[in-house]
Amino acid sequence: MCAGSPPGVDLREASVTVQRPGTIGAGRVRPERAQLVFDFAEGDRTQVDLLGGKGANLAEMTKLGLPVPPGFTVTTEACRYYLERGEEPQSLRVQITMALRRLENDLGRRLGDVVDPLLVSVRSGAKHSMPGMMETVLNVGLNDYSVKGLAEAAQDERFAWDSYRRLIQMFGRTVLDIPAERFEHELDATKARAGVATDVEIPVSALVELVEEFKNIVQDATGREFPQDPREQLDLAMRAVFNSWNTDRARLYRRRERIQHDLGTAVNICAMVFGNLGETSGTGVCFTRDPASGQPGVYGDYLSNAQGEDVVAGIRNTLTLEDFAALDPASHAELTRIMRRLETHYRDLCDIEFTVERGKLWMLQTRVGKRTAAAAFRIATQLVDERLITRDEALARVTGHQLAQLMFPQFDVDAERVLLTRGMAASPGAAVGKVVFDSATAVAWAARGEPVVLVRRETNPDDLEGMIAATGVLTSRGGKTSHAAVVARGMGRTCVCGAEEIEVDAAGRTLSVNGTQVAEGEVLSIDGSTGEVFAGELPVVASPVVVYLEQGLDAALAVADEQTGELVRSVDRLLRHADQARVLRVRANADTAEDATRARDMGAEGIGLCRTEHMFLGERRVLIERLILADGPGARDAALAELLPLQRADFVALLEAMDGLPTTIRLLDPPLHEFLPDRTELAVRVAVAQATGRGDEPGVAADVTLLSAVDRLHESNPMLGLRGVRLGLSVPGLFAMQVRAIAEAAAERAAAGGRPLVEIMVPLVGSVMELHLIRDEMDGVLAEVAAAAGGAPHIPIGTMIELPRAALTARRIAEAAEFFSFGTNDLTQTTWGFSRDDVEASIFATYLDKGVFTVSPFESLDRDGVGALIRMAVQAGREVRPDIKLGICGEHGGDPESVHFFHDAGLDYVSCSAFRVPVARLEAGRAALASDTAGGRL
Ligand code: ADP
Ligand code: MG
Ligand code: MG
């Protein structure tokens, strides 16, 4: 189908341009005589890249024999060419002429003819539906002459002039960029003069005058007459669609959603059908199930005697589908049949636009509908029960992100609410607090126990403390990669960003939104899962899904209504299916018996990381202090002897909670100075005491000793300093004490009839020599404890792989390690040379914005860099020690995308925070199914 391309149009030339982010369409190989126009009857839904979502689905519906008005699609390739060169490919004009001719012959009418004219709509349609793209222009082809032909053919003058005024209005606004108010103002004036409330009541004579007025507006705004040539109308509209690919809003949206900038949009030209032909006509939208709740049964709105966007514009009250059934039973019955057909064909929830023209139903759009997290789970299992999809497919259709959304506390749906505005859902959760406008106030108020919501235009690194202190963060500017969004997500703080309707007056300590003022100290409720901002305090309830996860299905069902019950059952079924499908085991990071129990409830199959440093906080901090200040072996041993029973008791409790499940305990990791008081505070205290002549008092003398210890241990880069195994090698007895506590705890549990499966993990190893040295000491202690207990269970000793050198020398390290656990937080820091706490606040927003990375490497594993090290170490470790156990215990263990990587890399387990365990279970199952199709894991 390339007969239309004249010689001389070399479409290949564009492909020599080097592809850079942000440039359009470059780097693609194009056939010399590309087909740039496809009739709806030619394509199908697989061609979304070329025909865009709307075009591909119109083609699919046409293929299914559904009543779609005929038309054709101009490809994304034509758009890319145009955007690159600033002009359409020459052959496009001819191809459109030919397609138009086919359409005209098909329908027996000519575009913009003076008798019975063919009219078309010009509709944008990119691969992903996107805000900011040009809105559809309806009724293209009408002019001063064809409007009369239309009136004649339809036997309805009012309809013809209404259609013409709509064309000029839409064309003026979207193609010619004339402010919409100018037209609306005139329309309102006309209604007022005619003494009518709605547009359908405007009499013909007034409509004719209105058209004249609209044409004057166009003349006035553009300096030229409203184009009367139908083909020129079409060409201008098409070009405007192409141009709209690059509007600021579209670009911003693509950046936020990580959609490539060089896809371009298709343009659909579709024969008009008219919903505005009187009471037997109308237009509507419908869904094959409720996309908000997932409730089965169709759902939709209908507006009679209306065209296009009237339904969603809310200019008149819409009817429900039941009302529509009463009004036009035949069309309703056909629509119902088609909805069923589409759902069984797409095997998913469909979102549909239709129009009825004098009792005849037409389908104008369909797509697989977007849905909420709850609807995703419910619909997936409904479709399984209806035998439309398999359980594997159902699992593929829900995501860990959606499950995580369902686990956050929520605002009580039954509570009365006043929605103030909506921003972007940047970091989920439900936060209620008093409004504050600066970081210092946030910190001060939070310190006196008042929950606050920090409201800023945008945040910057100076706001960090305030963000930490606040329960929620709300900004009026910036997208999902803004500083506020990135930092809030990083620390799990609820955040709504880019709520553009909010005017923040930080100096005046007030905000205004849609006419409402909110002063500092007044309460707001923000929903980081939906982006909604409510006035006042909304009650927060625990998620029913969490009740299910923690207490089981029966407990959750007991408190759930019918719909929530179905949701919880769906989650249960899909999670259990994931558990069956997955190869990866899922463990939790937990430091106490309490956390461990909770993790176990959530489905954790072990502890992948128990951080022992948490056991030295609070009252026990002084014991570590004593260890640090010890001035000789005697004092040191005494301090260690005091710590031993405390540690042992911790481990006994932990091993009891995790009886029968593997439990990995990590030896002390952080630098010791973290257990000492703040250096500045201490120095000030000492200085003040000395200056006021109290330098000799005993308390002050102790402070002086402490200060010198703090000074001695001070490091400029603690993250890269005296910590982990280095600490174990330089503080005699410390690791030995911990190992003894672990071994004695295991022996105690075994003696009590338990099944302790403890593993000891050495942090921050970079060289096998470090591990050998530590092991020598540890093996001695283990043997001693075993002898004393008269035999003891084997305790595997392994290491973290969290330094690039450890990954690079994994072959050597595996000689001394019975397992590897990838510490991906530190491995990411050390691979990138990032200090997380510093860079997240200072440069990540910029990096995300500039596209250095599309997601923080601390949130989702950097496959190319950190991932390469992991793959290397996995392979080396297995070569040396085929039965080596391999896991990961960084926060990435609970990140959906990263879980897929860990599955593919061939790890045995992931370990993440208890709350993330269900997410990891679900994604591990999905990863197993995905890799079965893609060819397996390492
Ligand atoms: P959007 O992407 O905003 O949904 P659409 O191209 O689907 O844009 O169209 C906007 C409105 O115009 C919809 O209500 C659609 O049903 C209607 N519409 C589009 N093309 C036609 C047509 N050929 N005849 C009648 N109505 C149409
Ligand atoms: Mg639409
Ligand atoms: Mg670490």
Side-chain angles (χ1 to χ4, degrees), residues 54 69 120-121 123-124 136 138 270-274 283 307-309 353-355 364-365:
K54 199 181 287 169
V120 296
S121 62
R123 326 165 62 182
S124 67
T136 294
L138 301 177
C270 180
M272 282 302 302
V273 290
F274 299 99
T283 181
Q307 193 176 38
E309 306 288 11
E353 292 176 10
F354 65 96
T355 280
L364 289 172
Q365 187 176 333

Side-chain angles (χ1 to χ4, degrees), residues 269-448:
I269 294 160
C270 180
M272 282 302 302
V273 290
F274 299 99
N276 54 339
L277 263 171
E279 290 306 314
T280 56
S281 305
T283 181
V285 294
C286 57
F287 297 90
T288 55
R289 318 191 173 222
D290 186 337
S293 67
Q295 186 71 356
V298 297
Y299 166 95
D301 294 310
Y302 181 75
L303 194 59
S304 66
N305 200 6
Q307 193 176 38
E309 306 288 11
D310 293 355
V311 184
V312 275
I315 49 175
R316 279 180 276 145
N317 282 338
T318 55
L319 303 180
T320 63
L321 290 183
E322 289 78 56
D323 301 332
F324 175 47
L327 198 69
D328 184 350
S331 298
H332 178 266
E334 190 180 3
L335 179 67
T336 309
R337 266 197 308 280
I338 290 176
M339 282 200 260
R340 212 173 299 133
R341 178 81 201 278
L342 285 175
E343 232 196 30
T344 46
H345 182 69
Y346 283 86
R347 302 184 310 131
D348 207 346
L349 158 74
C350 293
D351 161 339
I352 292 162
E353 292 176 10
F354 65 96
T355 280
V356 178
E357 178 181 312
R358 290 192 171 147
K360 160 92 179 110
L361 176 71
W362 293 98
M363 304 304 292
L364 289 172
Q365 187 176 333
T366 194
R367 62 187 162 200
V368 167
K370 297 201 171 123
R371 67 207 70 184
T372 62
F377 275 87
R378 289 181 64 189
I379 291 172
T381 47
Q382 286 162 15
L383 294 177
V384 170
D385 293 341
E386 293 166 28
R387 299 181 189 280
L388 279 176
I389 61 175
T390 64
R391 287 195 297 164
D392 286 358
E393 284 171 310
L395 186 54
R397 288 195 188 174
V398 294
T399 67
H401 290 294
Q402 287 168 332
L403 180 57
Q405 289 243 313
L406 293 174
M407 291 173 66
F408 283 100
Q410 306 163 351
F411 289 125
D412 187 349
V413 282
D414 296 326
E416 238 173 80
R417 45 184 67 197
V418 182
L419 180 67
L420 289 178
T421 187
R422 213 182 272 274
M424 252 171 288
S427 177
V432 181
K434 291 188 174 173
V435 170
V436 294
F437 294 96
D438 64 273
S439 184
T441 313
V443 172
W445 292 21
R448 53 180 208 236

Side-chain angles (χ1 to χ4, degrees), residues 666 669 723 764 800 802 823 826:
R666 180 176 72 184
D669 183 35
R723 50 173 287 218
L764 217 72
M800 305 272 293
E802 54 186 337
D826 270 320

Side-chain angles (χ1 to χ4, degrees), residues 261-272:
H261 285 299
D262 59 358
L263 300 176
T265 178
V267 186
N268 302 290
I269 294 160
C270 180
M272 282 302 302

